[in-house]
Amino acid sequence: MTPSTRTRPWKPGDTPAVLTLNAVAAVGVLVCWIGSATEVRFHDTLYWLQGAIVAALVASVGNGLWLVAGMRQLRARRRVLIETWPRQPAPTASVQEPDVVTAERMTTYHRPSCLLVAGKALRSGTRSALERRQKRPCGMCQP
Amino acid sequence: MGKLIALIVRSQWDRAMAIGAAVLAGLVLLIGYFGVASTDYPAEQIPYVVSGGITGILLMGGAATLWLSADMRDEWRKLDELAELTRAQQPPNDTGP
C-alpha cells in the first residue's frame, strides 16, 4: 500500500459541493430573514420561516453526506492497510511470558515491533500485569 | 503569545474555525433570544427566529461538521504515516535476472 497523494479523506469534488450547499443555505436564510421582516401579518411570516428551515435542512443534509463520504474513504483506507499489514510470526509456547510494551496513555499493549508503537515512549511489562491495568491486546500485531 | 496563537490557528485551522463558528452561533442565538423577548407581536418575532435561531443552528451544525472533519483529517494523516511505515518494512521486489 502506498501513501495517499491526498491530504484529506474526500474526493476532489466533495468539498466544493458541500461548500456550495452551505452557501446556498446561507443565502436562503438571508432571503427568508429579509422576506419575513417585510411581512406585516403573522401568517405570512410563517412561509418565510418554513423556507429558512428548509435551507437549514439542505445545509445539514449536505454536511452529513460529506462526513459520511469521508468516513467511507477512511474505512476503505483502513481495510487496505490491514490487508497489507506485515504479518508477525505466531508466538511460540514458552515457560516465561514474553514481554509486551505499552505507552502512557494507550489502552492497548503491543509487540515491541508493532508499527503502532513506533517512535513512542514505551514501557514494557508482562501480558498479565498489563491486563490487570485494563490494557487490551492490540488488534493489529496480536501480541 | 500572539505568535503561539497564530501558530495554533495555522496548524489547527479547522478546529479554530469550528470554535469560532460555535462562539458565533451562541452569540447569534442570544441576540435572537433578546430580539424575540423585546416584542409582543408574533409577526415581529419571526424575523428574529429566522436571523437568530435558524442562523445559530446553521452555524452550530457547521461547527460540528468542521470539528468532526478535523478528526477525520487527523486519522487520514495517521493512516498515511502507517502506510509509509508498512512500505518501508516490506522487502524490495527482486525483479533482477
Side-chain angles (χ1 to χ4, degrees):
Chain A
M1 181 191 180
T2 53
S4 165
T5 50
R6 287 187 311 198
T7 55
R8 55 181 82 105
W10 288 279
K11 289 174 190 159
D14 290 350
T15 305
V18 77
L19 285 177
T20 307
L21 267 184
N22 275 281
V24 167
V27 170
V29 170
L30 189 69
V31 167
C32 290
W33 173 28
I34 294 167
S36 67
T38 57
E39 300 290 352
V40 181
R41 288 172 55 214
F42 172 66
H43 189 262
D44 293 335
T45 59
L46 290 181
Y47 294 116
W48 294 107
L49 178 63
Q50 286 166 5
I53 291 170
V54 168
L57 280 177
V58 165
S60 306
V61 169
N63 290 345
L65 288 176
W66 185 63
L67 287 175
V68 167
M71 273 182 223
R72 279 207 188 121
Q73 292 287 319
L74 273 173
R75 205 177 305 140
R77 190 106 203 273
R78 253 184 260 136
R79 212 171 13 241
V80 171
L81 188 62
I82 288 169
E83 279 165 13
T84 54
W85 198 257
R87 298 279 166 252
Q88 306 272 351
T92 50
S94 62
V95 180
Q96 210 177 10
E97 260 192 312
D99 272 0
V100 284
V101 293
T102 187
E104 184 64 38
R105 293 175 65 189
M106 278 187 150
T107 56
T108 51
Y109 60 84
H110 305 256
R111 290 166 193 261
S113 58
C114 180
L115 291 177
L116 289 175
V117 293
K120 291 199 168 92
L122 300 173
R123 265 189 308 192
S124 60
T126 59
R127 208 169 298 195
S128 49
L130 291 174
E131 274 170 4
R132 274 199 300 276
R133 287 169 49 205
Q134 312 299 322
K135 307 259 188 197
R136 290 171 287 106
C138 166
M140 300 297 277
C141 64
Q142 298 171 350
Chain B
M1 187 66 183
K3 275 185 183 175
L4 181 69
I5 291 171
L7 186 73
I8 291 170
V9 168
R10 249 202 314 275
S11 62
Q12 299 280 334
W13 62 268
D14 30 22
R15 289 191 175 91
M17 273 177 71
I19 291 168
V23 169
L24 198 62
L27 273 175
V28 165
L29 283 170
L30 205 65
I31 291 168
Y33 167 75
F34 283 119
V36 168
S38 68
T39 176
D40 293 331
Y41 300 108
E44 284 182 2
Q45 290 174 340
I46 295 298
Y48 286 111
V49 173
V50 174
S51 64
I54 307 284
T55 307
I57 291 169
L58 207 63
L59 281 169
M60 203 56 99
T65 306
L66 274 170
W67 193 274
L68 289 173
S69 72
D71 289 347
M72 288 161 76
R73 277 195 199 91
D74 284 351
E75 187 174 347
W76 188 263
R77 275 192 291 269
K78 186 72 193 170
L79 288 175
D80 249 355
E81 283 170 25
L82 288 173
E84 184 63 52
L85 277 170
T86 313
R87 206 168 58 91
Q89 280 212 345
Q90 279 168 355
N93 287 340
D94 192 12
T95 51

